[in-house]
Amino acid sequence: MADSSFTEWKSWRESPQFDPESFLESLDGGQSFSWNRKESYLEGSFKGYLYRLKLEGDTLSVSIPQKLDYENALSNLGEYFALETDFQGIIDTLPWRSDQNLKRAIEAYPNLRILKQPLNEALFGFLCSSTKQIPQIKEMFRLTAQQYGPEVHMQVHALPNWDVIAQLEETDLRKLKLGYRARYIHKTAQKIKAEPDWLNSLHTMDTNEAKKELLSLPGVGSKIADCVLLFSLGRLESFPIDTWIAKILKRAYGLEGFSNDQLQAFSRNHYGPYAGYAQQFLFSAARSGVLKL
DNA sequence: CCGCAGGATACTG
DNA sequence: CAGTATCCTGCG
């Protein structure tokens, strides 16, 4: 059914190349928690805009609410997909020639991309992520948006900014199914409120410095810090180690008994400066069963 | 009812 | 340092 409050589907001229698997995995495979699968398209919001994205063949089409500024929307989308990053070129630098596991993972998702999500949203999402699976994280994300975020379009809300979250009590946050993460999010919001420039300053820091800053937040350990660095700040060397990745690395390379720090050192050395991209291939392939655990 | 999930933290030895 | 209990919630 046509929805006249949305623009016609228009093919996006600057779209990166996608195939169906890579498209779904890039947006709804654990990097972002703001996309929902509809019948024939994905719908999601970031930076207060709402998007519908549809892949037909290798053409990606976009439709957004009529009232939004189309130019700005597409410009945001380009940034989100990190169009300036040559992922095919990066793949070529990864050691797939000598690494069968990596090779199989890349073949399964040949056009996988690492997103550059807005920092505030990525931080919120990954603060929600501890011991939660993607559908549950998305639920927390959605509830928070629905309850406290600005309405983007007819009952659909975007995530509120941190200054809005800072006004909430921990008990308010607990009602959003955040559980013990409510305390982390509450405290993080207070810190951001107290130091309004802090969040944006991460963009210009070198990776180690930014990681140190992120680790100073309650509820942010190495894994979550690396997720923010990789999926928002474009630091492709960051290598988040969760239980999936740890399991794969141990099995694939015979690293039983390695600590997460040791696994990270191994990965940096083995995969190189774009280790984080390799991580995402392995993660996606393991989760979908392409790689056996 | 129990065990557990894509984690962090405080505490123990 | 390595191990362990605890923090919420929902699901099987």
Side-chain angles (χ1 to χ4, degrees):
Chain A
M1 215 178 356
D3 181 346
S4 63
S5 63
F6 272 71
T7 66
E8 302 275 302
W9 288 103
K10 283 184 228 171
S11 73
W12 183 22
R13 202 162 35 82
E14 315 205 276
S15 168
Q17 188 182 352
F18 273 125
D19 58 88
E21 288 74 26
S22 303
F23 174 60
L24 287 175
E25 192 63 24
S26 296
L27 290 172
D28 196 28
Q31 291 192 56
S32 168
F33 307 106
S34 40
W35 295 90
N36 294 302
R37 301 182 190 215
K38 305 290 186 183
E39 317 78 62
S40 61
Y41 56 90
L42 287 179
E43 181 174 288
S45 77
F46 59 91
K47 284 183 84 168
Y49 284 72
L50 182 65
Y51 298 85
R52 289 177 177 173
L53 302 178
K54 179 163 66 170
L55 186 69
E56 293 170 300
D58 52 9
T59 302
L60 185 63
S61 296
V62 181
S63 172
I64 65 170
Q66 295 277 10
K67 65 176 182 186
L68 299 182
D69 183 310
Y70 198 78
E71 291 296 313
N72 283 337
L74 255 61
S75 154
N76 286 341
L77 203 56
E79 194 178 332
Y80 192 79
F81 279 112
L83 291 187
E84 75 282 6
T85 306
D86 173 15
F87 285 103
Q88 290 307 313
I90 294 177
I91 287 178
D92 203 51
T93 73
L94 296 176
W96 54 269
R97 293 171 183 81
S98 57
D99 184 331
Q100 286 305 304
N101 289 304
L102 181 58
K103 180 159 185 254
R104 274 202 294 275
I106 293 173
E107 282 167 354
Y109 301 97
N111 295 295
L112 187 68
R113 299 187 78 83
I114 303 289
L115 304 174
K116 272 193 183 169
Q117 302 176 73
L119 185 51
N120 63 324
E121 301 179 21
L123 179 58
F124 182 86
F126 289 106
L127 272 169
C128 292
S129 72
S130 89
T131 52
K132 283 295 173 195
Q133 301 190 338
I134 294 171
Q136 299 172 302
I137 303 167
K138 283 167 72 168
E139 175 70 359
M140 302 182 220
F141 205 92
R142 199 188 59 75
L143 280 172
T144 306
Q146 213 62 25
Q147 193 72 33
Y148 297 108
E151 186 176 46
V152 198
H153 177 76
M154 300 177 51
Q155 318 269 343
V156 181
H157 294 247
L159 198 70
N161 288 325
W162 280 102
D163 57 346
V164 173
I165 298 174
Q167 293 169 352
L168 304 176
E169 299 297 331
E170 189 182 322
T171 50
D172 297 325
L173 293 166
R174 280 183 185 262
K175 291 175 188 152
L176 306 170
K177 302 187 182 180
L178 295 177
Y180 63 84
R181 304 155 197 82
R183 188 166 55 86
Y184 300 151
I185 287 170
H186 179 72
K187 290 190 170 241
T188 293
Q190 300 312 312
K191 166 164 177 138
I192 291 173
K193 184 182 177 185
E195 298 177 56
D197 296 330
W198 178 81
L199 202 52
N200 271 333
S201 72
L202 297 179
H203 284 287
T204 53
M205 291 179 193
D206 69 52
T207 302
N208 285 336
E209 199 182 351
K211 181 162 181 177
K212 207 179 95 192
E213 286 296 324
L214 284 165
L215 289 174
S216 75
L217 293 174
V220 176
S222 187
K223 190 268 179 185
I224 289 179
D226 283 334
C227 284
V228 173
L229 288 166
L230 180 59
F231 302 131
S232 173
L233 294 173
R235 309 307 170 90
L236 299 183
E237 70 271 38
S238 299
F239 196 92
I241 297 186
D242 56 40
T243 58
W244 290 81
I245 290 296
K247 221 177 278 185
I248 297 183
L249 289 175
K250 289 174 187 174
R251 185 195 61 77
Y253 305 103
L255 305 178
E256 280 77 13
F258 272 45
S259 70
N260 279 2
D261 280 353
Q262 291 171 316
L263 289 175
Q264 200 161 63
F266 169 87
S267 304
R268 228 176 260 301
N269 183 51
H270 179 64
Y271 298 119
Y274 302 106
Y277 192 33
Q279 180 272 2
Q280 200 58 20
F281 281 116
L282 295 179
F283 178 78
S284 298
R287 218 168 54 93
S288 66
V290 171
L291 287 185
K292 298 272 178 280
L293 294 178

